[in-house]
Amino acid sequence: MRDDFDQDYYDRFYENPRTCAVDEAEAERQAAFIAAYLSYLEVPVQRIADIGCGLGRVLRALGARYPQAKTTGVEYSSYVCERHGWTQGSVVDFQSAKPFDLVVCNDVIAYLDDRSCARAINNLSRLTRSALFLGVLTKEDWRLCDTERTDDQQYLRPKAWYAKRLDKHFVNVGGGIYLKKPLAFPVWTMDRLN
């Protein structure tokens, strides 16, 4: 597991336009998609947490779409927490007294070994009241991604490994969005992927 989420890591994968994995425009599109889909499903959002928020691009974009919502950025990297003022914590054991309507966890859990990753998925379930947006690089995705812009220090597990653990807690409604079980919102059967 990579544990050096330092300035060099963030410079390469976040700041340098030639090597960054996700830029500001992509973060904006991702937030627009999440907000539009949750609006379509009529999922109210008053509390948002981005676990592994990095520079906070998606969190800020979601905050602009939900100006009434309280946003919380959680990040493992002490470097980024000091720089941006996020709450330092891990997806494995971060706790909140109250669950969040929307939890974002993007490009985080593939850095964890199997045991820690399973614990993280259980923890995401505890933190999520309604909806989870989960982005994760799978074994099947490696051949699709730009390997110059993608950190190769991740565990490349098959999609089925994640699905088995996520299905205990969530209904996959596509696009990386999972709704917490039991469903509080009607979702047509054909819109469910599990």
Side-chain angles (χ1 to χ4, degrees), residues 80-98:
V80 173
C81 287
E82 290 169 13
R83 187 171 167 206
H84 292 279
W86 308 130
T87 299
Q88 188 163 16
S90 167
V91 66
V92 174
D93 55 17
F94 174 75
Q95 296 179 10
S96 173
K98 188 175 169 186

Side-chain angles (χ1 to χ4, degrees), residues 59-126:
L59 184 62
R60 282 192 304 277
L62 284 168
R65 282 166 177 74
Y66 295 103
Q68 80 291 351
K70 180 184 184 319
T71 60
T72 301
V74 178
E75 177 54 52
Y76 180 79
S77 167
S78 58
Y79 164 73
V80 173
C81 287
E82 290 169 13
R83 187 171 167 206
H84 292 279
W86 308 130
T87 299
Q88 188 163 16
S90 167
V91 66
V92 174
D93 55 17
F94 174 75
Q95 296 179 10
S96 173
K98 188 175 169 186
F100 298 90
D101 301 308
L102 169 61
V103 173
V104 174
C105 186
N106 201 13
D107 295 329
V108 172
I109 64 174
Y111 285 103
L112 303 171
D113 62 45
D114 289 354
R115 184 170 180 247
S116 296
C117 188
R119 286 182 55 210
I121 290 169
N122 289 334
N123 195 40
L124 287 169
S125 173
R126 285 189 290 276

Side-chain angles (χ1 to χ4, degrees), residues 8-192:
D8 289 341
Y9 173 85
Y10 282 94
D11 286 349
R12 177 177 176 193
F13 292 111
Y14 286 81
E15 301 282 6
N16 186 330
R18 290 179 289 118
T19 60
C20 73
V22 178
D23 62 16
E24 196 82 39
E26 185 172 344
E28 287 286 336
R29 286 191 310 274
Q30 192 173 75
F33 167 75
I34 295 167
Y37 200 8
L38 294 183
S39 174
Y40 169 73
L41 295 172
E42 297 182 326
V43 176
V45 177
Q46 297 296 318
R47 289 175 39 87
I48 303 169
D50 189 341
I51 313 295
C53 62
L55 302 184
R57 292 173 176 158
V58 173
L59 184 62
R60 282 192 304 277
L62 284 168
R65 282 166 177 74
Y66 295 103
Q68 80 291 351
K70 180 184 184 319
T71 60
T72 301
V74 178
E75 177 54 52
Y76 180 79
S77 167
S78 58
Y79 164 73
V80 173
C81 287
E82 290 169 13
R83 187 171 167 206
H84 292 279
W86 308 130
T87 299
Q88 188 163 16
S90 167
V91 66
V92 174
D93 55 17
F94 174 75
Q95 296 179 10
S96 173
K98 188 175 169 186
F100 298 90
D101 301 308
L102 169 61
V103 173
V104 174
C105 186
N106 201 13
D107 295 329
V108 172
I109 64 174
Y111 285 103
L112 303 171
D113 62 45
D114 289 354
R115 184 170 180 247
S116 296
C117 188
R119 286 182 55 210
I121 290 169
N122 289 334
N123 195 40
L124 287 169
S125 173
R126 285 189 290 276
L127 293 170
T128 303
R129 178 172 173 245
S130 300
L132 166 69
F133 176 82
L134 181 67
V136 62
L137 182 69
T138 68
K139 185 176 183 178
E140 296 87 350
D141 296 323
W142 185 251
R143 63 183 171 79
L144 303 173
C145 66
D146 181 347
T147 56
E148 294 299 315
R149 294 175 178 260
T150 305
D151 188 2
D152 63 359
Q153 293 187 41
Q154 299 180 61
Y155 292 90
L156 295 177
R157 301 177 189 91
K159 174 187 172 185
W161 189 96
Y162 291 105
K164 178 180 177 182
R165 286 147 185 88
L166 288 162
D167 288 353
K168 294 176 188 176
H169 309 287
F170 298 98
V171 174
N172 183 344
V173 294
I177 296 179
Y178 296 79
L179 297 181
K180 181 84 178 272
K181 290 180 178 179
L183 287 178
F185 313 96
V187 179
W188 296 119
T189 304
M190 291 301 289
D191 292 336
R192 302 178 194 190

